[in-house]
Amino acid sequence: MAYAEANAYETIELFGLTEKDAQLPIPNDDVLKNEIVRDAFEALLGQLQGTGLEGEIEPIAHGLASLLQRRTMALSKELDRTADKISALTRSHDGSEISETALEEAQVRYLQLRDIVAAMEVMSDEAAVCYEIETGSGFIPAAGSRTSAKARETGAIFEARQLLEQHDRETAARSKVEGVPLIVSGATDWTDIDLIFNTLDKVRERIRQTRNEEIFVCHKGGKNGAEMIAARWARARGIAQAKFDPRWSAHGRAAPFKCNDEMLDDKFAPAGVVLFGGNGVAMNLGQKAEDKGIIVMRVDDPHKGKS
């Protein structure tokens, strides 16, 4: 460890975190992934293998990945609030030293939070990967006239406006999903991973050849079976996912069928539907898709009916 970093950490140990923590270095992505998240999972769960606590590996791993995800979301919300604060400060800026100081401090906090959120997103994503490695399951877890206003545009306000514009661009980029939707559903007891991976690889390649576009996968976020495997495939291929959660409290038993309607909404214009086996909900999805003129590909489970 470099002397400057060691000295900074000694300061924390002696005096606790202060405003100077903004000057502390943030580890690079490789360190975040390999030396922090993976080592944490290994240290916490590795020794439980082959013991009477082995059954606790899945919930502990899920809890750790969820903790990082929740913290990332909380920090992202704070980042948005800080951007709103900067926006408010630019509007109310009166040229005084107090206004200038408050605006500069808000910008410093914004820049610090932006770097922290980026690091936490790396850790959160890696934790989801570690969960899948440890368990073999997919992790299913944004006054005055024009002249007088211009006259008050100090350097801090100019920089603040640039920060806000950049924040808006980054938020839009994070929220935007490129490509065409491909809906995937199927049996909750499906176990043939290779068949799903191979099938989706072929479907993806065909769509890329015929439409020259990438796909993104739409599913209901099932924790078992075909949808879980499809989510793992999308993560492995670096493909975006859109999860449609059934709203049980609002729709009761009809919630999965309402999800089918949402995924098939005309504004999404899905490229097709792939069903790996399935139950009544999957059959309903396939029928509704065909009624809309959407191509449906049905894949039978080769293990069904075998003794």
Side-chain angles (χ1 to χ4, degrees):
M1 179 183 296
Y3 175 78
E5 294 184 18
N7 187 57
Y9 293 132
E10 287 173 4
T11 301
I12 293 175
E13 189 173 335
L14 288 172
F15 303 109
L17 282 173
T18 68
E19 293 180 358
K20 294 181 180 179
D21 69 326
Q23 305 301 321
L24 295 176
I26 291 180
N28 62 45
D29 288 359
D30 287 340
V31 172
L32 290 172
K33 291 179 179 180
N34 300 318
E35 298 181 24
I36 295 179
V37 176
R38 292 203 174 202
D39 283 357
F41 268 81
E42 179 61 29
L44 184 61
L45 305 174
Q47 299 302 315
L48 300 183
Q49 295 282 358
T51 73
L53 294 175
E54 188 168 339
E56 299 303 312
I57 288 178
E58 191 280 332
I60 293 174
H62 195 278
L64 182 53
S66 298
L67 175 65
L68 288 170
Q69 187 179 65
R70 286 196 299 270
R71 184 57 185 161
T72 301
M73 293 174 62
L75 287 167
S76 296
K77 290 179 181 178
E78 185 179 350
L79 182 66
D80 289 339
R81 288 195 299 270
T82 305
D84 291 340
K85 181 178 180 180
I86 292 173
S87 181
L89 288 170
T90 58
R91 291 194 301 270
S92 63
H93 195 282
D94 58 7
S96 68
E97 184 177 351
I98 293 177
S99 295
E100 193 81 353
T101 300
L103 186 57
E104 290 174 354
E105 289 177 349
Q107 291 179 80
V108 169
R109 180 56 177 162
Y110 175 88
L111 293 171
Q112 179 193 23
L113 277 170
R114 187 180 62 179
D115 290 342
I116 292 174
V117 168
M120 290 298 297
E121 286 176 343
V122 171
M123 295 175 66
S124 180
D125 289 343
E126 187 62 21
V129 172
C130 289
Y131 172 86
E132 294 178 358
I133 292 173
E134 291 287 345
T135 66
S137 299
F139 181 73
I140 305 298
S145 67
R146 181 180 299 274
T147 302
S148 62
K150 285 289 184 182
R152 293 199 302 269
E153 281 201 356
T154 64
I157 284 187
F158 179 75
E159 292 177 2
R161 293 191 189 282
Q162 287 187 314
L163 274 179
L164 289 173
E165 291 173 2
Q166 183 179 2
H167 174 76
D168 291 341
R169 289 194 298 270
E170 291 174 350
T171 299
R174 287 197 302 268
S175 302
K176 186 177 181 181
V177 179
E178 298 285 352
V180 293
L182 178 70
I183 301 172
V184 180
S185 187
T188 57
D189 60 351
W190 187 286
T191 59
D192 195 325
I193 296 175
D194 290 339
L195 183 54
I196 289 183
F197 270 54
N198 293 334
T199 300
L200 293 180
D201 280 338
K202 293 176 181 177
V203 172
R204 177 196 184 192
E205 185 58 30
R206 182 170 183 178
I207 291 175
R208 291 170 72 177
Q209 289 178 354
T210 58
R211 303 181 58 161
N212 195 30
E213 289 186 275
E214 183 60 275
I215 64 170
F216 66 90
V217 175
C218 301
H219 57 79
K220 291 190 284 293
K223 294 185 178 180
N224 300 290
E227 291 182 0
M228 182 272 289
I229 298 172
R232 290 178 60 186
W233 173 83
R235 183 184 296 278
R237 300 295 187 263
I239 293 174
Q241 302 180 52
K243 187 174 71 168
F244 292 74
D245 292 302
R247 296 193 292 274
W248 299 101
S249 58
H251 300 134
R253 293 182 179 179
F257 301 97
K258 292 289 186 181
C259 272
N260 289 346
D261 296 336
E262 291 173 7
M263 289 191 291
L264 293 170
D265 192 286
D266 291 339
K267 66 175 177 286
F268 291 113
V273 176
V274 182
L275 300 178
F276 295 96
N279 50 20
V281 176
M283 293 174 61
N284 171 267
L285 174 62
Q287 184 60 55
K288 287 180 176 177
E290 289 176 332
D291 290 344
K292 284 178 167 283
I294 299 171
I295 297 174
V296 177
M297 179 181 184
R298 292 178 172 83
V299 182
D300 294 328
D301 188 344
H303 304 289
K304 284 290 186 181
K306 292 185 179 181
S307 55

